[in-house]
Amino acid sequence: MEAVLPAGAIPVIKGSIDFVYSLKPYAEPTVCLVPSVFKAQVAALADQIGFDYDTLSYTLGLLLCYPLGMVMAALPYGKTKHLFSFLLGAFLLQFTLGVQWIHQLIASLTAYFLFLVLPRKVTKTVVPTFIVLYCVLGHLHRQFVNYLGWDLDFTGPHMVLTIKLYSIAWNLYDGECLAKGGKVSRATEKCSRFALKEMPSLLEFLGYTFCFSNVLAGPAYEFSIYKAAADGSLLYDSGGKPKGKIPSQIWPTLKALLISLTCMVLFVVGTGKFPILDPTDPQNNDPVFIAAGSGVSLVDGAPWHKRYAYQWLALFCVRFKYYFAWKNAEGANNIWYAGFEGFNDKGEAIGWENANNIDIFEFETAPNLKILSAAWNKKTSNWLTRYIYMRTGGSLAATYAMSAFWHGFYPGYYFFFLSMPLLTSCERIGRKKLSPRFSTGGKWSPWGITTIITTSFLIEYFIQPFQVLSWEWSVAVWSSHSYFGHILAVSFYVFCTLLPTPPSDKKKKA
């Protein structure tokens, strides 16, 4: 990291970091919710089973959400639930992050203060700017002190917090606009069901920003969803009468848990057999994709189909890490009905999508980028759509740029995200010029299967830098494939541009 920075900037950065670190003694007394004996037992267990402490504590933190969720479901609605959500979220952060949990508290309280003292038309800009900047500084710090390292720190939970605070800023602004009456923007109208007419109490606010069942891995659903589950209005009307026949949460919870555990096993086994990074020294040695002696790299003389097949399998296996975390969180939210969508006007249960962050089968068999994006990290996609894409007049550049900033500043992220507008353009022109000619039998028709294979084939090429991260490794892995993905995409776009647009069904009938 220091090699790419101006020499004069390094002392300033180090001085700033040293100053922040000097405040650590003042923050350490706040880590009071986790007994030291508990940490010692976890450390001993990590040594026995061969796990590092960070990995084990994070995994245990996710699994602890299930018994905690059972307690949450049994507590009285209102303040008790909000207090429990806040304290247990703080407990999980202290257990997994130690003193770094304080960042969650500082950011939350600062945002709440800004909401109290500034007008809504100002906070819709100031609070998102503040929390994104906080997230950016966290990412930059991580890259400066531990470039390409994988140590657990506060940036993961802070990414979830960024979505929450960014969304609340717009929810409050939308609520004020709707309360005034008159003409509102299209984005405000579309997001009206999430609008907030009044400022949440501090306890409600902290219960949401620290919500134990999504503080570690998301999903960052809207504040109105959390509040309805915590105050009982999701299930009961103002008179305490059920809005419909309340479904059991047992199967939605158990199903998500079983899927998450299966995904964890597949991740451990799969990445052990098809690693992306060198297991002996992932931070310094070349990734398996490009390392000499791996047997599946260009320098080893491995044929192209063998190299690409290995990378496809390796990337497929590593996704199960995300599936485990998201499905685990889904079940933890379903236990206390935060994942339940409520009832329709007829009193019929709608479903359990509030905490669903991934549709695994839909993602793995996506016939196009639009469906693939909609199935992956769904609540983050909602945030980007509602509060970036729609608020910037449909700017893909702003949306992908925010997604990249949110992830961090490794070059691999930008290699990937800056390539997505090209793929999106190809998809749009293909849907316009080719789909009307060939799409006649649905997803599993010959054309549908062709698009599934093509999407999977190409996305595995474009996503590779997202995993290897560094500039050198990203360039090496793409160049080992002669940049065929970009060449194909550009060629496809030019070819489709030259094709005549087929007449629509309406024109045919006329």
Side-chain angles (χ1 to χ4, degrees):
M1 184 70 175
E2 294 185 23
V4 300
L5 293 172
I10 295 174
V12 176
I13 294 172
K14 288 184 176 180
S16 300
I17 292 174
D18 289 341
F19 171 73
V20 174
Y21 284 6
S22 71
L23 302 175
K24 184 177 179 181
Y26 300 101
E28 284 178 335
T30 66
V31 187
C32 57
L33 298 176
V34 184
S36 56
V37 65
F38 187 52
K39 289 186 175 181
Q41 291 295 324
V42 174
L45 179 60
D47 289 337
Q48 290 177 5
I49 63 178
F51 270 43
D52 63 273
Y53 178 83
D54 284 351
T55 301
L56 183 59
S57 64
Y58 185 76
T59 303
L60 290 177
L62 290 173
L63 296 175
L64 275 173
C65 291
Y66 282 80
L68 297 180
M70 294 172 67
V71 176
M72 182 74 161
L75 291 173
Y77 290 110
K79 292 182 179 179
T80 305
K81 269 184 165 46
H82 294 307
L83 181 62
F84 180 87
S85 180
F86 164 56
L87 290 178
L88 269 298
F91 165 81
L92 289 174
L93 288 174
Q94 292 182 15
F95 173 54
T96 55
L97 302 179
V99 72
Q100 292 188 53
W101 88 282
I102 200 71
H103 292 286
Q104 189 94 355
L105 185 64
I106 291 172
S108 296
L109 292 178
T110 301
Y112 194 80
F113 174 77
L114 293 172
F115 285 134
L116 289 179
V117 301
L118 297 177
R120 297 291 171 253
K121 65 180 180 180
V122 176
T123 56
K124 74 177 176 64
T125 302
V126 170
V127 171
T129 301
F130 158 71
I131 194 59
V132 169
L133 181 60
Y134 204 133
C135 191
V136 162
L137 291 174
H139 284 311
L140 290 174
H141 164 263
R142 179 189 178 100
Q143 290 178 221
F144 186 82
V145 303
N146 191 24
Y147 191 70
L148 296 178
W150 298 93
D151 294 341
L152 188 64
D153 71 353
F154 78 94
T155 54
H158 207 83
M159 291 167 72
V160 179
L161 181 65
T162 297
I163 297 176
K164 290 182 178 182
L165 295 181
Y166 200 115
S167 300
I168 276 192
W170 282 101
N171 296 155
L172 289 167
Y173 173 75
D174 289 343
E176 182 176 79
C177 291
L178 292 167
K180 288 180 178 178
K183 187 176 181 180
V184 297
S185 69
R186 186 179 180 187
T188 294
E189 187 177 345
K190 283 193 170 185
C191 297
S192 59
R193 66 192 180 104
F194 307 116
L196 300 176
K197 296 181 180 179
E198 58 184 24
M199 183 67 191
S201 70
L202 180 59
L203 187 57
E204 290 174 330
F205 187 81
L206 292 177
Y208 172 63
T209 58
F210 278 82
C211 182
F212 71 95
S213 54
N214 62 23
V215 72
L216 294 179
Y221 43 73
E222 303 277 359
F223 174 80
S224 58
I225 292 173
Y226 162 80
K227 187 174 185 298
D231 67 16
S233 60
L234 176 70
L235 303 177
Y236 302 95
D237 60 23
S238 57
K241 181 181 178 181
K243 294 181 177 180
K245 184 180 179 182
I246 300 175
S248 170
Q249 79 274 48
I250 294 176
W251 177 238
T253 298
L254 185 60
K255 178 182 177 183
L257 175 61
L258 292 175
I259 293 175
S260 74
L261 294 176
T262 302
C263 290
M264 180 173 65
V265 173
L266 291 174
F267 167 70
V268 173
V269 174
T271 54
K273 190 172 182 62
F274 302 102
I276 293 176
L277 303 177
D278 187 332
T280 60
D281 189 357
Q283 194 168 358
N284 297 300
N285 293 345
D286 285 340
V288 176
F289 292 169
I290 56 179
S294 66
V296 289
S297 67
L298 182 64
V299 293
D300 290 332
W304 180 83
H305 70 274
K306 181 179 179 180
R307 290 186 282 117
Y308 201 74
Y310 180 91
Q311 292 179 28
W312 190 96
L313 287 169
L315 291 165
F316 173 73
C317 292
V318 82
R319 287 197 291 273
F320 284 99
K321 171 177 65 176
Y322 303 99
Y323 298 161
F324 159 67
W326 289 335
K327 281 298 176 182
N328 181 89
E330 179 182 337
N333 282 281
N334 287 348
I335 292 178
W336 62 285
Y337 285 93
F340 180 54
E341 295 175 89
F343 304 95
N344 60 22
D345 294 337
K346 298 179 181 179
E348 300 168 335
I350 299 175
W352 295 84
E353 287 295 309
N354 279 345
N356 180 5
N357 211 28
I358 179 68
D359 289 329
I360 299 175
F361 185 75
E362 284 297 314
F363 179 83
E364 296 294 346
T365 62
N368 54 57
L369 186 62
K370 181 179 180 180
I371 292 176
L372 183 127
S373 300
W376 174 269
N377 204 354
K378 294 161 70 173
K379 300 305 176 281
T380 299
S381 179
N382 288 345
W383 165 60
L384 291 170
T385 300
R386 293 169 186 161
Y387 306 113
I388 288 87
Y389 182 78
M390 290 169 56
R391 311 293 172 153
T392 56
S395 171
L396 280 175
T399 305
Y400 284 120
M402 178 59 75
S403 185
F405 294 157
W406 182 73
H407 280 90
F409 291 90
Y410 283 114
Y413 295 146
Y414 294 84
F415 276 97
F416 171 70
F417 284 113
L418 293 176
S419 298
M420 288 302 97
L422 172 62
L423 278 186
T424 302
S425 299
C426 288
E427 178 186 313
R428 288 176 175 175
I429 198 169
R431 190 183 303 123
K432 179 181 179 181
K433 298 291 187 76
L434 296 181
S435 292
R437 303 173 189 270
F438 301 105
S439 182
T440 58
K443 181 176 180 179
W444 299 107
S445 66
W447 174 250
I449 294 173
T450 300
T451 58
I452 290 171
I453 295 172
T454 303
T455 300
S456 178
F457 180 76
L458 282 176
I459 203 66
E460 299 295 357
Y461 162 83
F462 282 101
I463 199 68
Q464 288 164 8
F466 198 92
Q467 291 297 323
V468 299
L469 298 180
S470 78
W471 178 283
E472 296 81 7
W473 290 346
S474 297
V475 171
V477 72
W478 269 353
S479 64
S480 72
H481 298 298
S482 302
Y483 299 96
F484 81 86
H486 289 86
I487 294 172
L488 283 177
V490 172
S491 301
F492 177 84
Y493 187 85
V494 172
F495 172 75
C496 287
T497 301
L498 298 175
L499 284 178
T501 301
S504 65
D505 290 339
K506 290 182 179 179
K507 290 182 180 179
K508 288 180 180 179
K509 290 178 182 178

